[in-house]
Amino acid sequence: MSSATATDATATPMPRPEGLEGVVAASTALSHVFGEEGRLVYRGYDIHELAGHARFEEVAHLLWRGRLPNQAELDELHGQLGANRDLPEPVLATLRALPADTAPMDALRTGVSALGAAHGDLFDEVPDPAEAIALAARVPSILAAFFRLRQGLAPLPPRPDLNTAQSYLYQLLGEVPDDRHWQPLDVYLVLLADHGMNASTFTARVIASTQSDLCSAITGAVGALKGPLHGGAPSKVLDMLNEIGAVANVDPWLTRALDTDQRLMGFGHRVYKAEDPRAEILRGMAERASDPAFFALSKTTEERALAMLAERKPGRRLYTNVEFYSAAVLAAVGLPGDMFTPTFAVARSVGWSAHVLEQVANNRLIRPQSAFVGPTDKRFVPIAER
Ligand code: ACO
């Protein structure tokens, strides 16, 4: 290392910091990804114990309060969520002011931020479970309001009698959904509610650790989720499958994509080095819920992509991730592609807020160190001499 380069970090050998791979950033009892085994656990429950058995609100209670609710507690939570779905007028006015072609994730980020400004009364204290409920209940309302406004339709008043999956679809599409539509969405919301120290959750915890407010933490988390390396992949999976179009095109399409160093959306994961258990559950749901031709195309694309990735990236252990079959399931539920990632945010708003509560309950400012690799001995040169 030259004398012009920082040497402070040389005292202790530091791990390669790029992407914080393998770095433990916080302690949590909420959820954990066992990457080698392909297991996901929420507060002690394997995801297979919950998916298809517990409703989304039960899982929200589990994450926020630490245990599954009894019937009276679940009824109470339903009532609280139902009573908190209304949006204040300044939030609606903010959404109305956005151009119709605004990406729904941008509208959500703006809407959550506006909610914090408009409802300072609700979100001005140290985040607590009541704030988590108040925010999570309004995330679907923000998305549904924008979804209708961009079509020139009036937002629908929420229905407190419906559960989250039903109410979200009702507010989006204007009809109380039948079981075929809301039940797979409910399972999807359970599967996506939390996922260890993922990028958006880390973002939320960093913001909460500064003693900022819940809406700020969730605004940041929405921004992090939007990127295609995190939650922004499922609509791109749909784009990919639509571009491929037919089983006969799968091999040439994938070959061309990999020859030009493109990432195949819906494959690979930082932590899973085995199949993502959520992908396995979603595959079964997609088979039951989606159009058979679309499922056949998805399945062939998956099989060929896995084979080609294994051949071209030996040792990388790239498997199907949650996003691949999310696309088929959410399309079957009746959602357009650009609402896939926002619907992920409906689920994850519960996990994010649970992490914020956990962070503030035992807070220490999250402020890591960096390995400085720049020069340290430059002299100022007046602008006329540069
Ligand atoms: N397609 C092609 N190659 C891939 C893919 C992929 N989907 N994923 C990883 N690789 C390759 C990389 O090119 C790299 O190869 P190299 O070492 O020969 O250069 C190697 O596998 C390791 O990749 P990294 O980028 O180091 O892995 P990282 O852990 O940083 O990335 C990520 C994980 C971002 C999910 C990655 O697998 C990816 O880009 N996947 C596609 C996007 C996607 O599906 N995102 C959703 C993730 S799930 C979620 O967040 C909810």
Side-chain angles (χ1 to χ4, degrees), residues 195-212:
H195 204 239
M197 197 51 52
N198 60 86
S200 55
T201 297
F202 179 56
T203 305
R205 288 189 78 129
V206 169
I207 295 172
S209 84
T210 70
Q211 294 186 349
S212 185

Side-chain angles (χ1 to χ4, degrees), residues 228-230 263-264 266-268 270 309 313 316 318 321 323:
L229 298 192
H230 187 10
R263 298 247 161 156
L264 303 180
F267 299 93
R270 172 61 62 82
L309 287 169
K313 303 275 175 185
R316 298 282 186 267
L318 300 172
N321 66 42
E323 306 285 28

